[in-house]
Amino acid sequence: LTQLYRLVIDSVLLQQSHISLTPQQQHYLCRVLRLGSGAKFIVMDGKGQSWLAQLSERDAQLLEPLYNPTELSFPLTLISALPKGNGFEDVIRSCTELGVTTFIPVISTRTLLKPSPHKWERWRKIAQEAAEQSERQVVPTIFEPIPFTQVFSLLDSPADRYIPVARGEYPSLWQQLQNRPPQPVILAIGPEGGWTDTEITEAIAAQFQPVSLGKRILRAITASITAVSLASI
Ligand code: SAH
């Protein structure tokens, strides 16, 4: 079951073995992931249950429930302001090993990098190799880079949302993650220059909680690995 892609579907829509896909889900499976009729993929309800599913012409069928020996029991999304150089490749490699299910690279106010269009294919290859290496069942999804301000409209499902901020008296992410139910988690790590105050305010308005990863100032790559490690236990 290596190299299968994953789709989170609201459990309300999963009462029977037939899944009617929304136009967005259809687009994602057929255009973004380029899956054809008959292709298999994994459906997750985001609460720890998953199924092997098969795509048909206009919809999909659930084939069988999956026992998930290595996946986290909840989707873990990492929003990452693109670090300079090839830093994002390191983020993808390590954070795939740690269980991230979706990467959303973003361009923030202080992002230094203009990503080249060729990068995305390479990122996908790195994620696939890291998923195989760490014996995961699913390959994380990687979005194409988008401006940070556009990210909030993509996040519609309920999730625990955290924005690590390097300075300030915020509660620690570790503390915030204690005793929580296995809900989806979304983390947003800033660029080398940090998030701007406006970006932090916008994130808070979108239900992100500002958190600390300790008193030291971590590089963006270290901060990503640290935050994801705390969330993936
Ligand atoms: N240049 C900035 C730091 C940026 S570090 C400054 O001096 O303030 C890059 C990103 O890593 C930050 O935007 C934040 O998301 C995360 N980060 C680094 N260290 C952190 C810490 N101690 N607590 C919380 N987040 C941290």
Side-chain angles (χ1 to χ4, degrees):
L1 287 180
T2 47
Q3 303 180 34
L4 289 180
Y5 284 98
R6 178 198 65 105
L7 187 68
V8 178
I9 294 188
D10 199 309
S11 48
V12 179
L13 302 173
L14 284 174
Q15 303 299 340
Q16 293 127 356
S17 65
H18 170 261
I19 317 164
S20 24
L21 300 167
T22 64
Q24 290 90 332
Q25 289 167 339
Q26 190 94 23
H27 175 84
Y28 173 73
L29 290 168
C30 301
R31 297 272 167 268
V32 181
L33 300 181
R34 296 172 198 143
L35 300 181
S37 180
K40 294 188 177 154
F41 62 101
I42 291 175
V43 165
M44 297 173 93
D45 68 357
K47 301 187 180 86
Q49 262 196 295
S50 48
W51 295 263
L52 186 63
Q54 189 168 29
L55 199 61
S56 45
E57 281 300 314
R58 311 217 64 201
D59 48 22
Q61 299 290 129
L62 291 185
L63 299 180
E64 57 184 285
L66 286 181
Y67 169 59
N68 241 357
T70 66
E71 288 300 312
L72 298 176
S73 59
F74 55 90
L76 176 51
T77 299
L78 179 65
I79 298 168
S80 194
L82 281 168
K84 60 185 184 217
N86 293 331
F88 193 53
E89 297 183 5
D90 298 333
V91 170
I92 292 174
R93 203 172 282 115
S94 304
C95 294
T96 298
E97 291 171 31
L98 289 165
V100 164
T101 47
T102 306
F103 290 94
I104 311 183
V106 294
I107 320 288
S108 71
T109 310
R110 295 184 185 144
T111 300
L112 304 168
L113 185 81
K114 292 241 188 313
S116 89
H118 310 295
K119 287 277 172 183
W120 186 66
E121 285 298 334
R122 175 155 172 76
W123 292 339
R124 280 220 331 193
K125 188 162 165 281
I126 290 170
Q128 181 147 340
E129 284 167 2
E132 285 169 17
Q133 190 273 321
S134 55
E135 302 191 358
R136 291 185 55 177
Q137 281 74 54
V138 303
V139 179
T141 302
I142 306 180
F143 282 54
E144 305 234 24
I146 50 166
F148 182 60
T149 45
Q150 284 174 22
V151 88
F152 305 117
S153 59
L154 291 176
L155 312 172
D156 49 8
S157 57
D160 294 337
R161 305 172 179 196
Y162 302 103
I163 182 163
V165 176
R167 291 165 206 272
E169 295 295 313
Y170 298 112
S172 77
L173 176 61
W174 181 80
Q175 228 159 28
Q176 296 305 302
L177 288 167
Q178 301 304 305
N179 303 321
R180 59 168 214 105
Q183 273 233 98
V185 171
I186 305 173
L187 302 166
I189 302 292
E192 286 85 355
W195 296 118
T196 63
D197 288 344
T198 312
E199 286 165 341
I200 296 168
T201 307
E202 281 172 353
I204 292 170
Q207 270 80 55
F208 278 78
Q209 222 186 307
V211 288
S212 164
L213 299 172
K215 291 194 165 59
R216 277 83 37 208
I217 307 295
L218 308 175
R219 285 192 311 140
I221 298 167
T222 316
S224 304
I225 297 171
T226 305
V228 167
S229 310
L230 288 172
S232 65
I233 293 169

